[in-house]
Amino acid sequence: MTNQLSKPRHAARLALGAFLAYAGISHLSFAREEFQAQVPQSLPLDPELVVILSGVAEVGLGVSLLTLLKKRVHVGWIAALFFVAVFPGNVAQLLDHRDAFGLDTDGKRLARLFFQPVLIALALWGTGAWRDRAQLRAEN
């Protein structure tokens, strides 16, 4: 598999990695309460635990995006799936009318939902995961 990424893809991968690492650190420290607003009330887990686990996952994904260039396709798919997995939390924040991160109206919470597909696309494009998926299958 080629490890060649264009400069824009490389920059996107690094930016997404830094964003995820920072978000994960914020889960584990200063923004715990804010992130708990995104944990669906129907989820049968302690919201604090969910925030901690998702924070650890985000730090791991961020660091992986920043450092594991040879595994970038795998990490890109995992990051995309992570963004899919946390989407219900964003929906729950809207449906439950919970304020967090300045999202204090239903209009703002709804607008945020449209950002999630952008993150998914960025993970797949910035790592070349979508482009190189056929080569990945050929390796297995």
Side-chain angles (χ1 to χ4, degrees), residues 8-65:
R9 284 182 196 255
H10 186 69
R13 180 183 61 83
L14 293 175
L16 186 60
F19 167 78
L20 277 168
Y22 175 79
I25 290 167
S26 70
H27 274 70
L28 302 172
S29 56
F30 61 89
R32 270 193 195 174
E33 192 172 309
E34 296 275 342
F35 280 108
Q36 287 181 23
Q38 295 178 323
V39 177
Q41 293 174 344
S42 61
L43 192 65
L45 296 170
D46 176 41
E48 177 78 3
L49 176 63
V50 173
V51 170
I52 290 170
L53 292 175
S54 62
V56 169
E58 284 183 318
V59 169
L61 282 170
V63 170
S64 296
L65 282 166

Side-chain angles (χ1 to χ4, degrees), residues 14-132:
L14 293 175
L16 186 60
F19 167 78
L20 277 168
Y22 175 79
I25 290 167
S26 70
H27 274 70
L28 302 172
S29 56
F30 61 89
R32 270 193 195 174
E33 192 172 309
E34 296 275 342
F35 280 108
Q36 287 181 23
Q38 295 178 323
V39 177
Q41 293 174 344
S42 61
L43 192 65
L45 296 170
D46 176 41
E48 177 78 3
L49 176 63
V50 173
V51 170
I52 290 170
L53 292 175
S54 62
V56 169
E58 284 183 318
V59 169
L61 282 170
V63 170
S64 296
L65 282 166
L66 293 170
T67 62
L68 299 178
L69 187 57
K70 290 185 179 182
K71 295 291 185 183
R72 66 176 167 72
V73 173
H74 297 285
V75 175
W77 282 105
I78 293 167
L81 291 173
F82 176 80
F83 291 131
V84 169
V86 300
F87 186 71
N90 300 330
V91 173
Q93 185 179 4
L94 170 65
L95 297 178
D96 295 339
H97 312 285
R98 292 190 281 173
D99 297 347
F101 302 109
L103 304 175
D104 54 3
T105 68
D106 284 345
K108 290 178 183 177
R109 289 184 282 266
L110 178 64
R112 193 229 183 271
L113 297 180
F114 294 97
F115 187 61
Q116 207 70 12
V118 173
L119 290 172
I120 294 165
L122 188 61
L124 296 175
W125 179 80
T127 59
W130 184 260
R131 178 193 69 187
D132 295 338

